[in-house]
Amino acid sequence: MVVKNICCIGAGYVGGPTCSVIAWKCPDIRVHVVDKSELRIKQWNSEKLPIYEPGLEDVVKECRGRNLFFSNDIEMAIKEADLIFISVNTPTKTYGIGKGRAADLKHIEMCARKIAEVAEGNKIVVEKSTVPVRAAESITHILSANTRPGVSFQVLSNPEFLAEGTAVENLLHPDRVLIGGEESVEGDEAVAQLTWIYNHWVPTEKIITTSTWSSELSKLASNAFLAQRVSSINAISALCEATGADVSQVAVAVGKDSRIGSKFLQASVGFGGSCFQKDLLNLVYIAECLNLPEVAMYWQQVTDMNEYQRTRFAKRIVECLFNTVTDKTLAVFGFAFKKNTGDTRESPAIYVCSHLLEESARLNIYDPKVECKQIEHDLTSAAVTSDPERVQQLINIYSDPYEAVKDAHAIVVLTEWDEFISYDYRKMLSVMKKPAFIFDGRKILDHEALIKIGFHTETIGKRFSRNTLLRASGGDIKMMH
Ligand SMILES: NC(=O)c1ccc[n+]([C@@H]2O[C@H](COP(=O)([O-])OP(=O)(O)OC[C@H]3O[C@@H](n4cnc5c(N)ncnc54)[C@H](O)[C@@H]3O)[C@@H](O)[C@H]2O)c1
Ligand SMILES: O=c1ccn([C@@H]2O[C@H](COP(=O)(O)OP(=O)(O)O[C@H]3O[C@H](CO)[C@@H](O)[C@H](O)[C@H]3O)[C@@H](O)[C@H]2O)c(=O)[nH]1
């Protein structure tokens, strides 16, 4: 069999970009991306795509209608396909057994049942979503229990490692492509088919093949290791603030060790995104279920440290603002969980803002890409507040950062958008209440320059010396701590 038709179930942050790049790099393959959401598909077929990713629009425009199609016709797409990617969401369960920790696999199971119900002929089913170890076994079980005569399935694991904001770049130049398959002749044949697709643009030496279970676990392990690095440097940032060391200098010194490496050592207000927290909790849950409490506790600490970091930052803001933010206006710069995306899932901004709202601060929020409705939704959701009406009264969303800072007591930077670096902070200072504060939760601004022009500046993992602040405040620093 040579794969001529691909179907992808799930047109989200993974399914959309992944299949757009496959369509672009494999003009000989017809790629059909389907989703149960009519709105999402409408957006994929419109001028304004449902997700913002640098470079994605150009790829979609080139392939859409040629060999890339978006539709709600799930059954038709399954029937036509030789290979089916399952790219649906696997969020943390919010109910029942494993609530708050286990991955919710109901969408995966629905896909497996739909495939079994409508498929004709031989199909390769590829688990692209992030799943617990041995999820492929459940998929295989559901498929084989419902298989009709003349139909056969091979299930592969092919986890996705793209990061949002750099998805197209990551897909075009992956560090590795991981394919896990059954150790059998049929399994090897299916792995070879998927390898052939990636080989259109990914060199063979970057394509790793393993057992299905190793592949599934490698995805969870990769995210756990990445998140652990962020929590490790954030733990060091607290030590820096207490001792006078500078976490940026420590990160450079530590990262120069080639065994450690310099990436993912940027101290911050905490990690966010739809994956790290969810996948860590899933790993913890799996370890607990396997009666490995020490392993569970080890990884649990990575997410606990993240929560500590977000709370610590919010508390520091209140403390610096003379222990009260009630009725004070704070301009919040950035709401997305990282730059170059409009995604707010698990954004540290949600947690820091909700903490400040609990203290009755007024928040003027600006983000270059996040929709106004999304910010309102995130801050008024039941998980975040018991008083959504009060929150509505306290938040204002701006499309111009210079408007957002008018009469504000402080600026709080929560996302590392490049444009925040080049603002005219002198101009901003002139319209703010004095003393004016800036809290840089992403360590992207020129702190010395801000202090020089008169901002009381606070950042992660560094305390500015009393002398520097005294110079900036003309001696009036008594009220600060
Ligand atoms: N977002 C990332 O950067 C990223 C990166 C790597 C891996 N992952 C993993 O990939 C998976 C998908 O993540 P995402 O961010 O793309 O999620 P998403 O929520 O953006 O998209 C999932 C889509 O699947 C659709 N869907 C759900 N059930 C369906 C069904 N039965 N039939 C048809 N459509 C259905 C939803 O409507 C939604 O549009 C998750 O397991 C995630 O952990 C995500
Ligand atoms: O040094 C760092 C690096 C990252 N972050 C934060 O960590 C979070 C996650 O960042 P990143 O990993 O770049 O983005 P994601 O899109 O969440 O990608 C992660 O999660 C995906 C979903 O599983 C995986 O595919 C990717 O490989 C993995 O990097 C963001 O809030 C970042 O601001 C830091 O605070 N400091």
Side-chain angles (χ1 to χ4, degrees):
M1 177 177 81
V2 174
V3 175
K4 289 203 174 63
N5 283 291
I6 289 178
C7 156
C8 173
I9 312 179
Y13 285 86
V14 167
T18 306
C19 283
S20 300
V21 167
I22 292 179
W24 191 38
K25 289 291 172 185
C26 308
D28 49 333
I29 299 176
R30 193 172 179 277
V31 182
H32 193 165
V33 186
V34 289
D35 201 289
K36 63 180 181 183
S37 159
E38 285 184 16
L39 174 65
R40 259 215 166 151
I41 291 300
K42 207 167 140 203
Q43 289 169 328
W44 278 110
N45 284 321
S46 75
E47 285 300 299
K48 192 167 183 286
L49 302 183
I51 61 174
Y52 171 71
E53 273 298 339
L56 181 62
E57 211 175 270
D58 291 342
V59 176
V60 171
K61 276 191 181 149
E62 189 172 329
C63 307
R64 198 170 51 192
R66 185 190 73 186
N67 66 329
L68 175 65
F69 303 91
F70 295 94
S71 90
N72 295 113
D73 198 342
I74 300 173
E75 296 195 0
M76 165 78 89
I78 293 172
K79 271 192 191 133
E80 286 175 354
D82 311 305
L83 183 144
I84 302 161
F85 283 112
I86 302 182
S87 296
V88 296
N89 38 331
T90 49
T92 304
K93 261 187 101 177
T94 52
Y95 54 89
I97 300 168
K99 177 180 173 180
R101 286 168 322 145
D104 192 340
L105 298 180
K106 69 176 179 209
H107 302 300
I108 297 269
E109 177 161 347
M110 275 164 75
C111 290
R113 289 189 184 277
K114 180 56 83 186
I115 294 167
E117 182 192 320
V118 303
E120 292 163 1
N122 301 336
K123 309 274 180 201
I124 299 171
V125 177
V126 184
E127 199 182 63
K128 178 68 88 185
S129 300
T130 305
V131 289
V133 201
R134 299 196 88 95
E137 195 170 49
S138 312
I139 297 177
T140 307
H141 200 142
I142 292 167
L143 291 174
S144 55
N146 294 284
T147 304
R148 289 173 301 142
V151 181
S152 82
F153 297 104
Q154 266 302 314
V155 179
L156 301 179
S157 159
N158 173 222
E160 184 48 61
F161 295 99
L162 68 80
E164 286 179 31
T166 50
V168 175
E169 175 60 23
N170 296 155
L171 287 162
L172 289 175
H173 307 287
D175 283 347
R176 80 307 209 178
V177 167
L178 178 58
I179 304 176
E182 184 187 290
E183 282 154 22
S184 65
V185 175
E186 295 81 8
D188 290 348
E189 171 57 19
V191 169
Q193 292 292 337
L194 188 54
T195 304
W196 172 78
I197 295 172
Y198 282 111
N199 261 159
H200 280 72
W201 77 99
V202 181
T204 308
E205 62 272 17
K206 288 203 166 181
I207 302 177
I208 306 169
T209 54
T210 64
S211 77
T212 317
W213 324 137
S214 299
S215 172
E216 289 173 333
L217 185 56
S218 300
K219 173 62 194 177
L220 294 182
S222 297
N223 273 355
F225 273 59
L226 289 169
Q228 182 201 45
R229 280 177 77 94
V230 178
S231 277
S232 296
I233 198 68
N234 282 344
I236 297 295
S237 79
L239 277 171
C240 287
E241 287 163 34
T243 57
D246 177 343
V247 74
S248 300
Q249 293 177 350
V250 175
V252 170
V254 170
K256 284 283 179 200
D257 186 325
S258 60
R259 292 168 304 175
I260 297 172
S262 60
K263 292 183 182 164
F264 256 71
L265 286 180
Q266 172 72 16
S268 68
V269 59
F271 60 72
S274 63
C275 297
F276 281 0
Q277 167 92 347
K278 160 176 85 74
D279 295 346
L280 274 165
L281 292 173
N282 190 1
L283 198 62
V284 169
Y285 183 70
I286 292 169
E288 275 174 9
C289 291
L290 295 170
N291 200 19
L292 300 167
E294 289 80 2
V295 178
M297 266 189 309
Y298 177 76
W299 291 111
Q300 177 66 43
Q301 191 57 30
V302 175
T303 132
D304 292 349
M305 181 54 63
N306 197 46
E307 195 180 323
Y308 167 73
Q309 187 75 350
R310 298 184 304 227
T311 311
R312 208 168 67 77
F313 187 65
K315 281 188 179 157
R316 187 153 153 215
I317 294 172
V318 178
E319 193 188 299
C320 290
L321 290 170
F322 319 112
N323 288 313
T324 176
V325 288
T326 306
D327 287 333
K328 285 181 180 162
T329 302
L330 310 185
V332 172
F333 284 1
F335 202 79
F337 81 95
K338 64 188 277 199
K339 72 174 180 180
N340 293 334
T341 177
D343 195 354
T344 62
R345 290 178 290 179
E346 285 298 324
S347 177
I350 301 173
Y351 294 91
V352 173
C353 288
S354 97
H355 195 96
L356 297 170
L357 289 166
E358 262 174 39
E359 295 289 329
S360 290
R362 298 185 177 281
L363 303 183
N364 291 353
I365 304 171
Y366 166 75
D367 187 285
K369 281 286 171 221
V370 180
E371 306 275 345
C372 180
K373 271 195 285 194
Q374 185 65 47
I375 298 176
E376 281 174 3
H377 172 268
D378 288 339
L379 292 178
T380 55
S381 78
V384 168
T385 181
S386 54
D387 193 352
E389 277 170 30
R390 170 92 179 121
V391 167
Q392 280 288 6
Q393 287 165 359
L394 290 173
I395 60 172
N396 278 301
I397 295 153
Y398 285 80
S399 55
D400 177 353
Y402 290 89
E403 287 296 315
V405 297
K406 271 189 191 153
D407 290 324
H409 294 76
I411 295 171
V412 180
V413 178
L414 295 179
T415 312
E416 74 280 24
W417 285 102
D418 289 339
E419 65 171 66
F420 297 166
I421 299 168
S422 53
Y423 288 167
D424 183 345
Y425 284 98
R426 200 182 287 276
K427 190 171 157 194
M428 289 190 170
L429 181 72
S430 71
V431 297
M432 290 176 66
K433 291 248 195 287
K434 310 294 178 318
F437 286 75
I438 196 153
F439 299 91
D440 182 2
R442 293 295 189 160
K443 302 181 69 60
I444 52 167
L445 304 180
D446 182 343
H447 303 132
E448 299 297 334
L450 289 169
I451 290 169
K452 228 181 235 164
I453 63 173
F455 268 108
H456 287 294
T457 306
E458 296 281 331
T459 191
I460 305 274
K462 181 174 181 173
R463 287 269 182 200
F464 292 101
S465 75
R466 235 181 118 72
N467 286 344
T468 328
L469 290 174
L470 266 172
R471 270 202 312 278
S473 64
D476 175 26
I477 203 173
K478 289 182 294 295
M479 287 161 37
M480 272 195 64
H481 294 288

